[in-house]
Amino acid sequence: MSLIKQLSALMQHLGQGGLNFFQRLGRGHLLLLQLLTGLLPSLLRPRLIIYQIYMVGVLSLIIIIVSGLFVGMVLALQGYNTLVDFGAEESLGTVVALTLVRELGPVVAALLFAGRAGSALTAEIGLMKATEQLSAMEMMAVDPIRRVLLPRFIAGFISLPMLAVIFSAMGVLGGYFIGVGLLGVDEGAYWSQMQGKVEFGHDIVNGIIKSVAFAFVAVWIAIFEGYDAQPTSEGVSRATTRTVVHTSLAVLGLDFILTALMFGD
Amino acid sequence: MKTSSDTLIQVTDLHFARSGRPIFAGIDINVRRGAITAIMGPSGTGKTTLLKLIGGQLHPAKGSILIDGENVHRLSRRRLYRLRRRMSLLFQSGALLTDISVFDNVAFPLREHTDLPESLIRDLVLTKLEAVGLRGAAKLMPAELSGGMARRVALARAIALDPEFIMYDEPFAGQDPISMGVVLELIRKLNKSLGLTSIIVSHDIKETSAIADYIYLLADGKVVEEGAPAELTASASPWSKQFMQGLPDGPVPFHYPAPSLEEDLLHVTN
Ligand SMILES: Nc1ncnc2c1ncn2[C@@H]1O[C@H](COP(=O)(O)OP(=O)(O)O)[C@@H](O)[C@H]1O
Ligand SMILES: [Mg+2]
């Protein structure tokens, strides 16, 4: 008897979880629709967007620059150890640059963005909801989706691809310091091999397309989680966690799909 | 459904439930144009909820709310927003925007809805802040205000665009006797000299009776009494007697619905 009860409780739990999931998915898409329909009017208020680019993008610069440098330095160390066995240490520049531009730049920048800017966006919007600020705006006939959410959405969407490019550039520089400065790879070879092998159309553009896709997903998740948060301190803290976890998973999953499509053949 | 031109807001047979618990079980309220209508009742009866229903933020399960003959919950989003420009809601918490200063909070509706030059906005904001006695606090951030001050800033913001009607949610809560007098006088002045329609939600009987033209007493999801302040004070009904005189015993339950205390205390859960 109690087994049946437990089973039915389990079923109920699963069913409820499934329902919640699809409801949230629906609300997420509804919000996206509202965001997209408000896009044009919001673009007419560039000052709001510029301020948010500062909050979301410029304030993420330090972590992106430092991480980019270190990742590039590690890539150079690891790459050199492998390449030197084949006497191919001249290709170090190519290896470092391709890894960064195709993969690590977009992916790591997106993960860092989720932790630095995405979580902050969720917490800020969630807290505004919990303290009735969004509600007060609605009553003042100001649409919070256009006034609060969209400038952040647009700013994040613009900022992340640029941060990814900066990340890659810093990584190439970090690789140069270690490879050329420390390990003695020929400076001319480092740069010229890189220039010869990294194709703008194939590698750099595809990397940028990736980070544009990641930016879209990361900002959408962050803004939705904040807007959909339970209006309590616990609700906001849970939403913030979800932003980081869901964005990370989404970015890594999406990266696999995009890589397969772009570089699979 | 007839709306006399005298009535600005007409609430008819309103039903509303929150997480399965009924809050309103059919209430009827008429708010007369140019008058101060008070909604009173013990806390937790749904006074704030009623204001949010009138503002179109919550949707009734049954019944209707007409403002100027328009059904709030049938309006398109655009029309609802246009209607909201004519009204103001003073939130119980103040609900100031926390990342901008007091000045910018009061300027917010002006900047969002008008193209006034900054110098004029400055004059308007300072005038409104002066009216609530907080011109000196213009540069402070909301976090630097006390609860009563925050509510007065919110009041200045609520009147910034000179709305047609204002809903005040507990405007007197947390005010010291002096600022209480200021707020009271301000509400009266806005109402009498500008012809504003006002709804005051409160449980401060003395202050509310002093300025209200008409009072609705809510309890248990119903309007249990209504009338002019003098009528209610004189009324022999147990509801108004208990509420107007603040007696603990009477038909208005002081407690949130619960099993009896003995039952709860003796019932040891394992
Ligand atoms: N967001 C909410 N979710 C569920 N119940 C709520 C919510 N807000 C208020 N309530 C319930 O609705 C009732 C009415 O609340 P409210 O309108 O704030 O009362 P009042 O303003 O008269 O003190 C209360 O019993 C409260 O428990
Ligand atoms: Mg209330």
Side-chain angles (χ1 to χ4, degrees):
Chain A
M1 194 57 205
S2 89
L3 184 69
I4 293 177
K5 245 186 195 163
Q6 278 183 352
L7 268 179
S8 88
L10 181 71
M11 293 297 284
Q12 207 176 1
H13 189 72
L14 285 177
Q16 192 63 51
L19 273 180
N20 285 346
F21 173 76
F22 283 109
Q23 277 175 358
R24 279 171 54 80
L25 206 63
R27 288 202 298 272
H29 281 86
L30 217 60
L31 178 66
L32 184 62
L33 200 71
Q34 286 172 300
L35 286 169
L36 294 181
T37 51
L39 205 54
L40 276 180
S42 287
L43 287 173
L44 298 179
R45 295 186 67 179
R47 278 179 60 186
L48 290 178
I49 299 174
I50 290 169
Y51 178 71
Q52 288 304 326
I53 288 182
Y54 174 76
M55 296 298 288
V56 170
V58 176
L59 293 183
S60 304
L61 262 180
I62 294 288
I63 186 173
I64 289 288
I65 288 174
V66 172
S67 311
L69 269 177
F70 275 107
V71 167
M73 281 154 60
V74 169
L75 277 177
L77 280 177
Q78 295 281 14
Y80 181 82
N81 281 341
T82 312
L83 290 172
V84 84
D85 290 344
F86 302 99
E89 65 269 23
E90 313 273 273
S91 317
L92 185 65
T94 315
V95 170
V96 168
L98 278 183
T99 320
L100 281 164
V101 168
R102 285 177 169 190
E103 278 301 328
L104 291 183
V107 172
V108 179
L111 296 181
L112 292 172
F113 183 84
R116 168 66 182 75
S119 58
L121 281 178
T122 304
E124 190 189 13
I125 295 169
L127 217 58
M128 287 182 85
K129 184 180 179 188
T131 51
E132 292 196 300
Q133 296 182 53
L134 299 184
S135 199
M137 277 189 196
E138 276 180 19
M139 286 307 300
M140 289 188 274
V142 174
D143 184 353
I145 291 183
R146 294 189 183 178
R147 181 61 175 71
V148 176
L149 303 196
L150 259 169
R152 289 164 172 78
F153 185 83
I154 298 169
F157 186 68
I158 295 176
S159 300
L160 179 47
M162 295 207 264
L163 290 173
V165 168
I166 294 172
F167 184 94
S168 295
M170 285 329 250
V172 167
L173 212 59
Y176 168 81
F177 291 147
I178 294 298
V180 177
L182 196 72
L183 302 172
V185 175
D186 180 60
E187 180 170 358
Y190 186 86
W191 294 118
S192 67
Q193 289 246 5
M194 194 186 299
Q195 273 177 5
K197 287 276 167 51
V198 180
E199 287 173 40
F200 182 77
H202 191 55
D203 301 311
I204 295 182
V205 168
N206 275 339
I208 291 177
I209 292 175
K210 267 189 183 180
S211 64
V212 168
F214 297 162
F216 181 77
V217 171
V219 187
W220 179 21
I221 291 179
I223 281 174
F224 171 68
E225 287 294 353
Y227 194 62
D228 199 55
Q230 291 287 330
T232 59
S233 9
E234 199 205 350
V236 174
S237 98
R238 271 211 297 245
T240 311
T241 309
R242 270 204 304 267
T243 291
V244 177
V245 174
H246 291 184
T247 306
S248 306
L249 292 178
V251 162
L252 294 173
L254 196 59
D255 182 49
F256 175 74
I257 295 171
L258 289 178
T259 306
L261 289 177
M262 289 169 173
F263 306 103
D265 47 18
Chain B
M1 201 149 297
K2 71 170 196 339
T3 350
S4 69
S5 61
D6 206 25
T7 306
L8 180 64
I9 303 173
Q10 185 175 36
V11 178
T12 314
D13 191 31
L14 187 74
H15 285 72
F16 184 76
R18 250 179 160 156
S19 32
R21 215 165 56 80
I23 306 284
F24 298 125
I27 61 172
D28 298 282
I29 287 175
N30 279 309
V31 175
R32 223 159 32 82
R33 220 180 276 275
I36 300 182
T37 304
I39 316 265
M40 309 190 71
S43 62
T45 34
K47 302 182 297 295
T48 301
T49 307
L50 178 63
L51 297 186
K52 292 198 168 164
L53 280 159
I54 294 176
Q57 291 200 312
L58 297 173
H59 285 255
K62 197 175 148 219
S64 66
I65 296 174
L66 303 187
I67 299 182
D68 233 353
E70 291 189 293
N71 186 331
V72 177
H73 300 96
R74 293 269 168 75
L75 292 177
S76 69
R77 203 184 147 64
R78 183 189 293 263
R79 305 254 313 272
L80 176 63
Y81 269 74
R82 203 179 306 150
L83 179 65
R84 281 181 182 160
R85 286 202 203 184
R86 296 164 51 195
M87 60 166 112
S88 263
L89 170 58
L90 174 66
F91 279 71
Q92 197 167 355
S93 61
L96 297 177
L97 306 178
T98 47
D99 58 344
I100 54 179
S101 69
V102 164
F103 181 95
D104 290 331
N105 262 285
V106 181
F108 184 82
L110 295 167
R111 289 181 178 145
E112 289 295 316
H113 292 308
T114 70
D115 289 323
L116 297 177
E118 202 55 30
S119 61
L120 193 54
I121 287 186
R122 192 185 120 86
D123 292 351
L124 281 170
V125 170
L126 293 182
T127 316
K128 305 291 177 188
L129 279 173
E130 175 77 14
V132 297
L134 287 174
R135 187 166 48 84
K139 289 214 175 68
L140 297 184
M141 294 303 280
E144 298 170 291
L145 305 175
S146 74
M149 288 163 84
R151 203 138 342 110
R152 277 190 282 154
V153 174
L155 179 55
R157 181 178 71 176
I159 58 176
L161 272 177
D162 296 324
E164 267 173 65
F165 73 96
I166 308 190
M167 303 183 272
Y168 304 91
D169 197 349
E170 312 275 5
F172 311 123
Q175 304 295 347
D176 59 77
I178 300 169
S179 51
M180 175 93 94
V182 169
V183 171
L184 211 58
E185 201 41 51
L186 184 67
I187 294 178
R188 200 203 310 261
K189 206 165 67 191
L190 286 168
N191 180 256
K192 296 290 176 267
S193 60
L194 298 177
L196 244 74
T197 307
S198 317
I199 300 180
I200 298 185
V201 154
S202 175
H203 40 230
D204 292 290
I205 298 149
K206 199 163 84 21
E207 288 72 25
T208 313
S209 318
I211 55 169
D213 296 302
Y214 203 81
I215 298 181
Y216 287 88
L217 259 188
L218 293 185
D220 280 344
K222 297 258 189 211
V223 174
V224 292
E225 277 285 332
E226 56 174 283
E231 284 167 34
L232 284 201
T233 323
S235 161
S237 104
W239 296 102
S240 33
K241 250 197 171 140
Q242 187 198 351
F243 197 76
M244 302 302 275
Q245 297 171 18
L247 307 174
D249 289 320
V252 180
F254 162 68
H255 294 282
Y256 194 88
S260 78
L261 181 62
E262 289 81 0
E263 215 175 294
D264 238 3
L265 292 180
L266 290 176
H267 186 80
V268 183
T269 46
N270 34 10

